């Protein structure tokens, strides 16, 4: 692990490694690569996950990246993981991917207490009509509220957006740029749509 730790320490100023605690996603976003893992959500238990966190700490890492498609998908399991980290007295910072509709004040408080430093949200668009085309099942209001909740709780937030999605025009693209710029994000990504084989987007465009 020394080479990994040296690389990340030079790049970010801290050492980090990834843990995957679940696979699968029940949502049906138009563009998502979820055909890799499928629709069924399969998850490790809280104690199993935190056992691996202890191992990561013993190897000298200072931060964890939870690489799940949506770490916050199952609230009870998430709270169980956080409680297990707290009860074992583990001190390590971590980051994860989340959905804006899986976060509430109590959950954010518990995540912060357990060491959560940052959440990344796949918001994708700042226009509700494009979000509907993408089948995101969220709204810009919900996205705004989730990011603001992170800020209120002392958790930094990052977000991903797609520009030029099929069905967009100049106005909707500007809506996204303006919406993204209005949020208190510490990381912001704009990408172009990519039709991954097996996705509805690919089938629609092929």
């Amino acid at each position: 692990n020394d080479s990994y730790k040296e690389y990340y320490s030079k790049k970010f100023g801290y050492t980090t490694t990834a843990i995957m605690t679940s696979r699968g996603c029940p949502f049906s976003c138009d563009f998502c690569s979820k055909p890799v893992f499928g629709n069924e959500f399969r998850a490790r238990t809280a104690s199993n996950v935190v056992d691996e966190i202890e191992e990561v700490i013993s190897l000298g890492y200072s931060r964890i990246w939870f690489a799940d498609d949506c770490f916050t998908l199952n609230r009870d399991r998430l709270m169980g993981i956080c409680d297990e980290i707290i009860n074992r007295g583990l001190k390590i910072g971590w980051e994860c991917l989340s959905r804006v509709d899986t976060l509430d004040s109590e959950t954010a408080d518990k995540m912060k207490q357990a060491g959560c430093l940052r959440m990344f949200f796949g918001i994708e668009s700042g226009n509700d009509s494009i979000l509907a085309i993408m089948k995101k099942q969220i709204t810009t209001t919900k996205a705004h509220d989730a990011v603001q909740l992170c800020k209120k709780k002392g958790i930094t937030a990052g977000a991903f957006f797609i520009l030029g999605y099929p069905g967009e025009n100049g106005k909707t693209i500007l809506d996204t740029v303006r919406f993204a710029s209005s949020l208190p994000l510490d990381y912001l990504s704009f990408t172009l749509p990519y039709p991954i084989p097996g996705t509805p987007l690919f089938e629609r465009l092929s």
Side-chain angles (χ1 to χ4, degrees), residues 14-16 50 53 57 62-66 71 78-79 81-87 89-96 106-119 153-156:
Y14 54 83
T15 56
T16 185
V50 181
I53 292 174
I57 293 172
S62 60
R63 193 175 296 192
I64 291 169
W65 162 247
F66 288 112
F71 185 65
L78 172 62
M79 298 292 267
I81 291 172
C82 291
D83 283 335
E84 192 78 12
I85 292 171
I86 295 165
N87 292 339
L90 304 182
K91 303 299 181 184
I92 189 166
W94 50 273
E95 306 175 43
C96 67
E106 183 183 1
T107 302
D109 280 334
K110 185 72 72 172
M111 292 173 73
K112 175 67 175 179
Q113 187 181 356
C116 182
L117 301 172
R118 178 163 59 177
M119 275 183 270
K153 301 298 183 180
I155 301 171
T156 57

Side-chain angles (χ1 to χ4, degrees), residues 103 121 141-155 157 182-185:
L103 193 64
F121 299 102
T141 298
K142 193 69 176 177
H144 171 272
D145 291 348
V147 173
Q148 291 292 346
L149 179 60
C150 283
K151 182 176 177 63
K152 179 181 177 182
K153 301 298 183 180
I155 301 171
S182 74
L183 299 174
L185 300 166

Side-chain angles (χ1 to χ4, degrees), residues 1-141:
N1 287 272
D2 289 343
S3 295
Y4 293 101
K5 289 188 288 184
E6 182 181 0
Y7 171 80
Y8 284 112
S9 183
K10 288 180 178 178
K11 185 175 178 65
F12 297 123
Y14 54 83
T15 56
T16 185
T17 191
I19 293 179
M20 181 167 280
T21 76
S22 66
R23 288 182 174 176
C25 177
F27 292 92
S28 301
C29 298
D30 194 51
F31 54 83
C32 184
S33 61
K34 76 174 200 172
V36 174
F37 290 143
N39 294 325
E40 183 184 353
F41 180 72
R42 294 93 68 200
R44 296 162 57 188
T45 64
S47 60
N48 179 272
V49 170
V50 181
D51 285 346
E52 186 172 355
I53 292 174
E54 285 193 322
E55 184 177 357
V56 163
I57 293 172
S58 73
L59 291 170
Y61 288 98
S62 60
R63 193 175 296 192
I64 291 169
W65 162 247
F66 288 112
D68 308 42
D69 286 336
C70 184
F71 185 65
T72 60
L73 188 60
N74 184 311
R75 187 179 187 275
D76 289 342
R77 189 187 81 105
L78 172 62
M79 298 292 267
I81 291 172
C82 291
D83 283 335
E84 192 78 12
I85 292 171
I86 295 165
N87 292 339
R88 296 192 197 186
L90 304 182
K91 303 299 181 184
I92 189 166
W94 50 273
E95 306 175 43
C96 67
L97 290 169
S98 181
R99 279 181 58 97
V100 299
D101 55 357
T102 61
L103 193 64
D104 57 61
S105 181
E106 183 183 1
T107 302
D109 280 334
K110 185 72 72 172
M111 292 173 73
K112 175 67 175 179
Q113 187 181 356
C116 182
L117 301 172
R118 178 163 59 177
M119 275 183 270
F120 293 88
F121 299 102
I123 299 175
E124 313 307 355
S125 178
N127 181 282
D128 285 334
S129 65
I130 301 301
L131 286 172
I133 292 174
M134 292 175 169
K135 300 180 180 176
K136 280 294 297 180
Q137 300 182 44
I138 63 170
T139 64
T140 53
T141 298

